[in-house]
Amino acid sequence: MGKKNHEWRDSPTDTLRVNAGFSIADFDCASTPGFTGHKRHSSQLMEERGRILSDLQERLFAEGRSEGNRSVLLVIQGMDTAGKGGIVRHVVGLVDPQGVQHHSFGVPTEEEKSHDYLWRIDNALPTPGHIGVFDRSHYEDVLVVRVHNYVEPAVWGKRYDEINAWEAKVVASGTRIVKCALMVSKEEQLNRLEERLDRPDKYWKYNPHDLDERSYWDAYMEAYQAAFDRCSTDIAPWHAIPADRKWFARLAVTELLTQALEDMNVTWPAAEFDIQTEKQRVAALRAAK
Ligand code: ATP
């Protein structure tokens, strides 16, 4: 890794990747795997990496304006209070909003319900040159839907393979998928819910329904484990991001996105005009002044 990136001993692309044998029960949501720096370094590092991320995003955008068909899709999942909104604001906010296509997925509307569960997801895929951001995603259809049995187990049970096949198709069409699960501990979730009730500037984030969902914590963890076991593929691996320390989660997702774009080797598109001719035309205008 580059000099400026020295605080990462190991790349989060490797350390946070969900591999076979990964167990949520053994996962430490307050850990900072692979990071040797301190919290006090994090804002400077965010700025440094953010500049690189922003430059890469501009290249991707430029590529999309010419012949390119590539894009990036950042999938963000996590329990309530895990910090999904903070990732959108602090990480995605590092790049030019023109190049971002953000979608959040709530309870399906009547129209969405009348289609297959992947219909609304397909419609929200990023167009060439863009970074698509899914705040919640098709994984809700094997998380909340599984926990509450909104459809028969035989139906949600088939979805893991369907999702893998759908993601493979998306990747083959030129979209790099970066899947991030923000893993907040049950204790830290309670702290965050409590804080929301103590601060008038956070009341708007408090949803009484979050407490009801919290009572299904173990079933949610089982559902996350299954999504990891079944859908962390080579084509679109999951990354489990420890999220009890917000600064770490934001740094880690910044790094994952930056590395994904670095891997894509996005270069500035060549001029689609004759540079010499255009230079001469501009020079002639200059001389005529
Ligand atoms: P968030 O909790 O993400 O900050 P929010 O509280 O503003 O968002 P919405 O975005 O309106 O709420 O909706 C999120 C809710 O929608 C979550 O409870 C989520 O589980 C639920 N949801 C998302 N997708 C589905 C789905 N396919 N089926 C049922 N419920 C879903």
Side-chain angles (χ1 to χ4, degrees):
M1 278 195 180
K3 187 163 165 264
K4 282 190 174 167
N5 213 12
H6 60 279
E7 285 94 343
W8 285 106
R9 185 189 56 235
D10 302 307
S11 159
T13 306
D14 302 324
T15 50
L16 303 181
R17 181 178 164 146
V18 173
N19 293 314
F22 174 92
S23 159
I24 291 182
D26 301 330
F27 190 78
D28 181 357
C29 299
S31 61
T32 58
F35 189 67
T36 54
H38 294 281
K39 179 183 177 182
R40 65 178 179 278
H41 300 146
S42 67
S43 44
Q44 197 199 339
L45 192 55
M46 281 287 280
E47 249 176 61
E48 287 171 7
R49 296 303 281 166
R51 273 196 291 276
I52 294 169
L53 178 61
S54 174
D55 175 75
L56 291 165
Q57 179 266 334
E58 195 183 347
R59 289 172 190 232
L60 181 69
F61 190 73
E63 183 187 275
R65 282 291 176 98
S66 40
E67 304 277 272
N69 72 334
R70 297 192 295 175
S71 60
V72 171
L73 174 62
L74 176 66
V75 173
I76 313 169
Q77 281 291 159
M79 297 291 283
D80 294 317
T81 77
K84 299 184 290 295
I87 295 294
V88 175
R89 182 170 174 176
H90 296 280
V91 178
V92 181
L94 292 168
V95 308
D96 185 347
Q98 276 189 95
V100 174
Q101 293 171 336
H102 172 269
H103 291 270
S104 43
F105 294 97
V107 176
T109 61
E110 284 310 312
E111 189 192 12
E112 287 168 350
K113 276 187 201 154
S114 72
H115 294 273
D116 178 73
Y117 69 102
L118 288 173
W119 178 80
R120 65 175 181 165
I121 311 289
D122 234 356
N123 284 343
L125 278 172
T127 51
H130 290 85
I131 297 180
V133 180
F134 283 0
D135 181 346
R136 300 184 188 269
S137 66
H138 43 303
Y139 282 95
E140 289 295 325
D141 292 282
V142 288
L143 292 169
V144 66
V145 168
R146 168 179 167 142
V147 167
H148 294 290
N149 269 315
Y150 289 149
V151 296
E152 294 292 312
V155 176
W156 59 249
K158 282 197 295 192
R159 291 185 174 171
Y160 300 97
D161 289 341
E162 290 167 5
I163 287 173
N164 287 341
W166 178 81
E167 288 182 355
K169 198 180 69 187
V170 169
V171 170
S173 71
T175 301
R176 171 85 170 231
I177 304 181
V178 181
K179 297 193 295 202
C180 296
L182 302 177
M183 307 300 290
V184 70
S185 66
K186 198 173 178 189
E187 196 188 342
E188 179 60 15
Q189 188 197 53
L190 193 58
N191 294 337
R192 292 182 186 177
L193 289 169
E194 217 165 26
E195 193 193 13
R196 288 179 181 182
L197 288 172
D198 279 341
R199 288 182 42 181
D201 61 324
K202 298 224 169 179
Y203 291 164
W204 68 276
K205 289 189 180 183
Y206 188 84
N207 181 348
H209 179 64
D210 292 353
L211 279 192
D212 304 324
E213 285 308 284
R214 179 179 163 82
S215 65
Y216 295 93
W217 189 274
D218 291 348
Y220 269 108
M221 291 307 110
E222 245 177 65
Y224 269 97
Q225 183 71 54
F228 290 159
D229 291 344
R230 304 280 304 273
C231 300
S232 193
T233 57
D234 284 343
I235 281 176
W238 267 109
H239 298 91
I241 320 285
D244 277 9
R245 299 172 202 247
K246 289 179 182 169
W247 64 267
F248 177 78
R250 292 169 188 173
L251 212 51
V253 178
T254 302
E255 203 54 35
L256 288 170
L257 255 190
T258 306
Q259 287 186 14
L261 277 152
E262 278 175 342
D263 266 10
M264 288 167 72
N265 288 318
V266 199
T267 51
W268 294 109
E272 289 171 351
F273 47 84
D274 185 70
I275 300 170
Q276 279 316 318
T277 306
E278 295 308 307
K279 278 191 174 175
Q280 281 162 10
R281 290 178 65 207
V282 171
L285 288 173
R286 167 76 59 210
K289 268 186 104 183

